[in-house]
Amino acid sequence: MSKRVIISGGGTGGHIYPAIAIASALQQKHPDLEVLFVGALGKMEMEKVPRAGYNIIGLPIVGIKRELSVSNLAFPFKLVDSLLKAKKVIRDFKPDVAVGVGGFASGPLLMMASLAGIPTLIQEQNSYAGITNKLLSRKASTICVAYPGMESFFSKEKIRLLGNPVRSDIVNVSSKRKEALLHFKLNEGMKTLFVMGGSLGARSINESINAGLNQLVDAGYQILWQTGKTYIDTAQATIAGLGTGLVKAFDFIYTMDLAYAIADVVVSRAGALSVSELCLAAKPSILVPYPAASEDHQTKNALTLVEQDAAILIKDSKAKQELVPAALELLNDIAKQEDLKINIRKLARPTAAEDIAEEVLKLIR
């Protein structure tokens, strides 16, 4: 009988894409291994996971809003419903191991897996562990982390420092530059600023870039811009007003390898996945951490790079004043770009997905 693994979690690309990378690494090692994903209904994993070729079951779990909200009253009922559904999924699928990557669904699924005596593995992507993973870690067999110093959150004996799994196509992106220029219809002889706010977009980054587009274009740069769904219409209207072909905006970019290939400088949030991809792609980066992320973990992620002179940090509250000037300065400073490239490359862990998959297989054995 083939072995079976459940992978649970999601909510953002920062949880979903590492999960898919782990699943892919597992199946490369054992093609007959069965993988089932468990996500949260209405969240982006319900679209992205099937697109990657995997089956997914949705739980009705939601998060608790920090401010007073009527929707919080439904949380206990949705939690109980999710726990019961997770129990049924485990009973029906009979996994040998359950893996949690963070996000709403990982809590109920890993909790019920632990109660059923199934070994569990947590993959913590950030430099500051979330509440759910801290609770789940008590019963977890193995905890894979991306940053050193996580003993303050988890039992030292369980920790494996392996990095964050990212899409394998991001390795050696420089060889794809010509393909990327054709794909995005951009110019060979111009430097490119790649702007992304994460899978859901980023208001402060979008508004700052929107206000400074003419400065960037007038300075002789071209821009590739992932806006998120809520800002694409505004971005397209500004671009139309400029009457230039030097700015290409998309609500979401699926060919991230090509986006990195074309980028001379990247502006990004500091989610765990983005940071890990930037390390692997070795791109000079300006990070604008999302301040409302739980425990301000994006700022902590960014600071681990800044302390190694591997990235530049702009506070979200200062983005409108400082982001475009910082981008222009870095685009014009070849020596600084090279320093950042060298230092960020040192932090890359290109075999993270394979190493985490091996830890999953150890629990099966």
Side-chain angles (χ1 to χ4, degrees):
M1 185 177 171
S2 64
K3 299 299 182 183
R4 296 178 172 186
V5 176
I6 281 184
I7 302 179
S8 62
T12 67
H15 294 311
I16 297 163
Y17 292 114
I20 291 170
I22 294 168
S24 176
L26 282 167
Q27 292 194 318
Q28 282 175 0
K29 289 174 180 286
H30 284 277
D32 63 336
L33 184 141
E34 292 183 51
V35 179
L36 175 67
F37 281 77
V38 174
L41 289 170
K43 295 296 179 181
M44 64 186 295
E45 59 265 28
M46 303 306 293
E47 174 201 343
K48 308 295 183 194
V49 169
R51 188 183 177 100
Y54 295 97
N55 292 327
I56 185 166
I57 293 172
L59 302 180
I61 189 68
V62 294
I64 298 179
K65 289 185 168 59
R66 296 183 185 187
E67 68 277 8
L68 285 173
S69 171
V70 175
S71 64
N72 284 344
L73 298 173
F75 175 77
F77 302 100
K78 294 200 171 188
L79 175 60
V80 170
D81 193 13
S82 295
L83 288 166
L84 293 172
K85 282 186 167 63
K87 182 178 181 179
K88 183 178 187 305
V89 170
I90 290 164
R91 189 175 65 236
D92 293 345
F93 187 67
K94 299 180 177 62
D96 296 282
V97 178
V99 177
V101 296
F104 298 145
S106 63
L109 194 285
L110 260 68
M111 194 179 298
M112 299 313 289
S114 295
L115 288 173
I118 293 160
T120 61
L121 179 146
I122 292 170
Q123 201 266 317
E124 172 57 65
Q125 293 118 21
N126 292 294
S127 57
Y128 194 97
I131 294 169
T132 302
N133 275 353
K134 282 189 273 189
L135 290 170
L136 293 171
S137 70
R138 296 170 190 172
K139 297 285 188 182
S141 307
T142 305
I143 302 163
C144 298
V145 301
Y147 294 93
M150 299 299 284
E151 295 83 4
S152 55
F153 304 107
F154 304 127
S155 172
K156 187 177 180 180
E157 313 81 62
K158 296 180 180 182
I159 291 175
R160 307 288 184 271
L161 177 58
L162 301 176
N164 278 323
V166 299
R167 292 164 278 207
S168 58
D169 58 8
I170 291 169
V171 180
N172 299 322
V173 291
S174 57
S175 64
K176 301 179 181 180
R177 182 172 170 79
K178 283 192 175 179
E179 182 187 350
L181 287 164
L182 286 169
H183 181 79
F184 292 113
K185 298 180 175 63
L186 288 168
N187 299 324
E188 170 76 57
M190 299 183 73
K191 287 190 174 297
T192 305
L193 177 68
F194 174 35
V195 180
M196 59 174 179
S199 52
L200 303 175
R203 189 171 72 176
S204 64
I205 293 176
N206 283 335
E207 290 178 352
S208 302
I209 294 298
N210 197 56
L213 268 187
N214 56 343
Q215 290 175 259
L216 291 160
V217 171
D218 288 349
Y221 301 114
Q222 56 190 358
I223 299 97
L224 177 61
W225 186 9
Q226 178 180 281
T227 65
K229 287 182 180 177
T230 59
Y231 204 81
I232 186 65
D233 292 341
T234 304
Q236 296 286 21
T238 301
I239 294 164
L242 288 175
T244 178
L246 297 178
V247 186
K248 308 291 183 181
F250 303 89
D251 60 345
F252 190 83
I253 295 173
Y254 285 97
T255 52
M256 285 297 288
D257 56 326
L258 300 183
Y260 286 124
I262 209 172
D264 293 286
V265 169
V266 179
V267 170
S268 175
R269 285 299 198 197
L273 177 67
S274 298
V275 168
S276 296
E277 288 184 346
L278 290 168
C279 292
L280 197 57
K283 291 297 172 178
S285 305
I286 300 170
L287 302 176
V288 186
Y290 178 47
S294 57
E295 289 88 23
D296 197 19
H297 69 255
Q298 287 205 8
T299 298
K300 297 176 178 73
N301 292 348
L303 285 171
T304 60
L305 271 66
V306 172
E307 287 161 5
Q308 305 290 323
D309 192 26
I312 293 166
L313 189 155
I314 300 288
K315 287 186 176 180
D316 191 82
S317 59
K318 299 286 182 68
K320 287 183 182 176
Q321 297 81 38
E322 298 180 6
L323 180 55
V324 169
L328 285 165
E329 185 178 345
L330 184 54
L331 282 161
N332 197 41
D333 191 339
I334 303 301
K336 181 64 174 177
Q337 289 177 37
E338 287 304 313
D339 287 345
L340 291 175
K341 277 185 196 176
I342 290 165
N343 293 332
I344 201 169
R345 186 180 279 115
K346 292 174 186 173
L347 304 175
R349 290 181 178 268
T351 63
E354 291 78 10
D355 295 341
I356 293 167
E358 195 54 44
E359 292 295 329
V360 175
L361 294 172
K362 281 180 188 175
L363 295 179
I364 294 177
R365 294 179 196 128

